[in-house]
Amino acid sequence: MPASAELKRQIDDLALSVVMGSPSSGAEVSGWIPSLRSIRERAISEQAGNIADIASAAENGSVEPQEAIAQLQQAMEGGVQDFGPTQLAQDPELLGDFVLESRENLLAIETQILKLEREPSDSEALNAAFRGFHTIKGMAGFLELPEVQRISHEVESVLDQARNFQLILTPGAIDVILAGADRLRQWVDRVESLVQNKAAAEPQPIDDLVERIRALVSAPAPPHAEPQSLAVLAQAVGCPPADAPAIGGGAKPPRTDHAPAATATMAVKVDTGKLDYLVDMAGEMVIAQSLVRHDPELAALRSGSLQRKIAQLTRISGELQKTAMAMRLVPVGPIFQRMGRLVRDLSRQLGKPVEMETLGDDIELDRTIVEELADPLMHMVRNALDHGIELAAERERSGKSATARMLLKAQHQAGQVVVEVTDDGRGLDADRIRAKAIEKGLISSGDELTESEIQNLIFAPGFSTADQVTNVSGRGVGMDVVRRHIEKLRGRIEVRSTPGKGASFLLKLPLTLAIIDGLVVGVGEERYIVPLFSVRELLRPGPDTIWTVEQRGEMALIRGSLLPVVRLYRRFGLKPRSEDPIESVLVVAEVETQRFCLLVDELIGKQEVVIKSLGEMFRNVPGIAGGAILGDGRVGLILDVERLYKDRNGETK
């Protein structure tokens, strides 16, 4: 039976019960509540917001049963609204724009609400949050999304009362507003899933949220609230009302380094697929230009005019590629602001007042890197609040401020972007980390480790110093996930800690994933590219450098340490120029804090290359991460250093 027919049947059955005078008690409206509740739940599941509202009003007693039945039957005559995949698919482009704009508005709303929690007199933040909910409500009404429209309208009422100084935004009120934004995000995710013809998770019912919002709105107005006109005048002259409410407890929302207002610029939305294609074509043009420039027939002409034109083409091609690559870059500010909400919620949950500050919000990274950075940052913030930052009483006993400080900072450094997560908590306890590592069998009691090596133990899978597992941490998966994500992004992590003063985690990331800096090496007649971020040093081995160790294979003695050796010609079945290591080059690489050596014939040079996929057929070749076209037109294969290390004892492939 279709869902709308089932809903109509339930309404008709209730109408018949009212007419026939059941339940037996006659005047007792409570006897019809189960039927009304069933109708309301069915209407919600079918996203028939008008019918759900009528049933809810009758269930609460604000509408007489006979009147409610008439309204329900009248609403049914217009048909039940169905927002399933069929109707959504009628205009997926319009709904896609709604999803994109709603997410932007929700992110801005969250930022403004957190700012408002710290500065209750900030009328601009209050108005900006109000406009965000109002915009979402308008779009939802146009697209006939009643649940989204209803939530937006209810939260808008709260903010409107705050704007008119009829409501004080207490921490509880902020919680309700943020809960409304979270529920809207669930519905936006559902719309996106239905547009993409994917399985859509059912959002939580909104009745409980609506009740919380209405209870907040119906609360008595503050007894000493100023008249609206005087309060607005005070705001206009820069003097907030003397009795402006202060919000205490929990985390202070993030403070950012505000740059001077920039000149307004025009922006246009472009599909990311088109943007990626533009970047690929710009890379292809640079390769084609390089082939022309190095063509021996053109070089033999010895024409000064031709060389100048080729140099001009080279410059223009390079500028075009840089511009295309810059179009993939997005600022890290939005992801920092998302962490602000996490800090606020966790600090309230753990009872630790925290002030979060962000610097370098306008630093830009590749879009893919920013998207992948959310998970590592979330784990690091959770660990900092749970393990690093002390309770307020403990901080005061140590002579610190009761309110902890957390810093998220981004900056350019040596061609990379460094994202820093710093707290002023207790720092890393090296003795406790070492004891836990011995307990878990990661090291033995006799191992002598440097301070840096002890700190890096926190990235081991399953490692945790928590005494008990909580819903925040303790399972030992957080920092392991952080390291794997960062290395997947071709980055690395550095740890700096001072006991009693705090800890800093530095995430060093490339600007983009489309281009890689690599060392071009030769093995036989082939060319390979070793990612530069994995390389630690290069050297020409001496007579006593390579040793064969029983049950461990070939090892290289470098600076007092024995490192495994992988001969690339054996790994890929090639004929080398010489099998004598003395006539070869050792490339010392590092993977997950483990070092090993690649034996190659020669070092050709350093080059920045555009990464190319090898296609479906060669996607899973062990030891190869991709390909690139070199300046002379030859194809160089990019090495998967991690896979080479893990398969170092495998057979030749």
Side-chain angles (χ1 to χ4, degrees), residues 48-262:
N50 53 344
I51 294 179
D53 287 342
I54 297 170
S56 178
E59 187 179 348
N60 295 333
S62 56
V63 178
E64 292 297 326
Q66 291 81 1
E67 182 182 352
I69 292 298
Q71 292 178 6
L72 288 171
Q73 290 178 328
Q74 183 178 2
M76 280 299 300
E77 290 177 0
V80 179
Q81 292 288 341
D82 180 11
F83 295 95
T86 303
Q87 182 168 339
L88 286 174
Q90 291 179 4
D91 195 347
E93 184 176 352
L94 189 61
L95 285 158
D97 290 341
F98 164 76
V99 169
L100 181 62
E101 293 183 20
S102 295
R103 283 183 173 156
E104 291 176 354
N105 279 306
L106 287 171
L107 182 59
I109 286 169
E110 197 169 89
T111 301
Q112 298 301 329
I113 292 298
L114 293 178
K115 183 179 179 182
L116 193 62
E117 185 175 29
R118 188 182 67 189
E119 302 174 10
S121 61
D122 191 335
S123 60
E124 180 54 39
L126 179 59
N127 290 329
F130 178 87
R131 288 193 298 268
F133 281 109
H134 186 75
T135 300
I136 294 175
K137 183 180 80 169
M139 293 189 296
F142 175 73
L143 295 171
E144 298 181 339
L145 301 172
E147 300 294 345
V148 176
Q149 186 179 16
R150 185 181 176 196
I151 297 172
S152 303
H153 175 72
E154 297 292 347
V155 180
E156 188 183 52
S157 301
V158 175
L159 295 174
D160 189 49
Q161 284 200 355
R163 292 199 309 168
N164 295 325
F165 300 96
Q166 299 171 355
L167 177 70
I168 296 176
L169 290 180
T170 63
I174 295 293
D175 287 341
V176 172
I177 295 171
L178 291 176
D182 291 341
R183 203 67 61 88
L184 284 175
R185 192 172 284 109
Q186 292 180 9
W187 281 97
V188 170
D189 291 343
R190 175 179 171 80
V191 171
E192 182 182 41
S193 298
L194 293 176
V195 169
Q196 297 175 352
N197 292 321
K198 296 180 180 178
E202 188 69 29
Q204 299 176 5
I206 67 171
D207 287 348
D208 60 330
L209 176 63
V210 171
E211 290 176 4
R212 289 175 62 192
I213 296 173
R214 289 179 177 174
L216 183 66
V217 172
S218 61
H224 301 295
E226 293 191 18
Q228 180 181 355
S229 58
L230 294 179
V232 172
L233 179 61
Q235 293 282 352
V237 299
C239 178
D243 60 346
I247 299 179
K252 295 183 180 180
R255 293 188 291 111
T256 59
D257 54 334
H258 295 289

Side-chain angles (χ1 to χ4, degrees), residues 580-644:
D580 187 353
I582 297 178
E583 299 181 11
S584 304
V585 176
L586 278 179
V587 180
V588 181
E590 183 175 354
V591 175
E592 296 182 357
T593 71
Q594 301 296 320
R595 293 189 301 159
F596 75 108
C597 298
L598 294 171
L599 187 70
V600 300
D601 288 345
E602 61 176 332
L603 172 65
I604 297 174
K606 173 183 173 295
Q607 187 171 337
E608 187 180 77
V609 297
V610 179
I611 300 173
K612 297 290 183 182
S613 171
L614 297 180
E616 293 292 335
M617 182 175 295
F618 301 105
R619 173 174 293 180
N620 298 316
V621 175
I624 300 298
I629 300 177
L630 304 178
D632 58 0
R634 298 182 60 175
V635 174
L637 296 177
I638 302 171
L639 296 179
D640 183 347
V641 179
E642 180 179 359
R643 184 65 180 272
L644 288 174

Side-chain angles (χ1 to χ4, degrees), residues 75 88 163 191 237 246 263 266 304 361 427 429 534 539-540 589-590 624:
L88 286 174
R163 292 199 309 168
V191 171
V237 299
T263 304
M266 295 295 292
D361 294 54
D429 188 337
S534 298
L539 64 128
R540 178 82 70 177
E590 183 175 354
I624 300 298

